[in-house]
Amino acid sequence: MNVRTPDPNPGWLSEDDLYEARRRLPMVYVEAIPVRCDALGYVNEVGLLLQANEQGEMVRTFVSGRVMYRETIRAALLRHLEKDLGPLALPQLPPSPLPFTIAEYFPSPSETGLTDDRQHAVALAYLIPVTGECNPRQDALELSWLTPSEALSPSIQAEFSGGRADLLRQALAHAGWGR
């Protein structure tokens, strides 16, 4: 019989504990690239978030965040999509939550090409159709809807950091673009 007092904040670590965990363990994340599809299911728009990094530079990024202890992948995806795109985004999660890839981020350059200065992270990456109205929240300044061709342009690709431009190319190739 367990008589421990329930954790008042389950699934979360204090800032100090998170710092220590990031130094010692890979962290599990979900990343979602919101898309708008036509009636046949082809991607015709890609939603990219614009935010300021720690140096004050403007960078493009995706919906992303940690998976909490005892949280399902579906629940983590929905939580982060709502947090970053607003409650009216109406994301359409697939019946089988298989990512288009597993992205491995390292604190220094590696063979994956993906970096995150804070940690070693493993991210399950998804293309998620959204049908509702999206309003960026949290630390995102705007959400830009671009055609796949625009999103793959050199000027937009240059706005990503940490190798995420490659991840976007991989996502769109998975959806049939850029072959």
Side-chain angles (χ1 to χ4, degrees):
M1 183 166 123
N2 187 352
V3 293
R4 291 186 54 201
T5 303
D7 185 348
N9 202 7
W12 293 105
L13 298 171
S14 71
E15 287 300 316
D16 290 338
D17 290 342
L18 179 58
Y19 174 78
E20 285 302 316
R22 282 179 166 157
R23 289 185 52 224
R24 300 171 195 268
L25 303 167
M27 303 300 286
V28 178
Y29 278 72
V30 291
E31 289 194 301
I33 301 173
V35 295
R36 296 208 188 269
C37 299
D38 66 16
L40 294 174
Y42 293 110
V43 172
N44 56 24
E45 289 185 306
V46 179
L48 301 176
L49 295 169
L50 183 68
Q51 63 185 174
N53 65 14
E54 292 178 2
Q55 293 76 35
E57 303 164 331
M58 302 307 287
V59 295
R60 298 275 177 190
T61 192
F62 316 123
V63 171
S64 180
R66 287 192 319 271
V67 177
M68 294 189 328
Y69 179 69
R70 298 184 59 85
E71 182 178 41
T72 66
I73 298 300
R74 285 177 175 287
L77 278 166
L78 283 174
R79 180 171 56 84
H80 290 295
L81 285 159
E82 182 176 304
K83 173 184 64 91
D84 288 350
L85 303 180
L88 300 177
L90 304 177
Q92 307 297 304
L93 294 185
S96 176
L98 294 173
F100 70 84
T101 195
I102 298 171
E104 297 176 272
Y105 291 89
F106 291 92
S108 56
S110 74
E111 60 275 3
T112 71
L114 298 169
T115 58
D116 183 333
D117 295 341
R118 304 166 301 162
Q119 64 196 335
H120 174 191
V122 175
L124 306 173
Y126 297 87
L127 279 171
I128 303 291
V130 296
T131 59
E133 186 175 326
C134 299
N135 294 305
R137 298 168 30 157
Q138 299 294 334
D139 55 352
L141 302 173
E142 77 176 33
L143 173 68
S144 302
W145 288 102
L146 306 172
T147 66
S149 297
E150 291 169 334
L152 293 172
S153 71
S155 61
I156 296 297
Q157 293 282 290
E159 295 178 6
F160 285 95
S161 64
R164 285 176 180 83
D166 289 338
L167 196 59
L168 178 62
R169 281 192 296 277
Q170 191 175 0
L172 290 174
H174 179 77
W177 281 90
R179 292 184 232 168

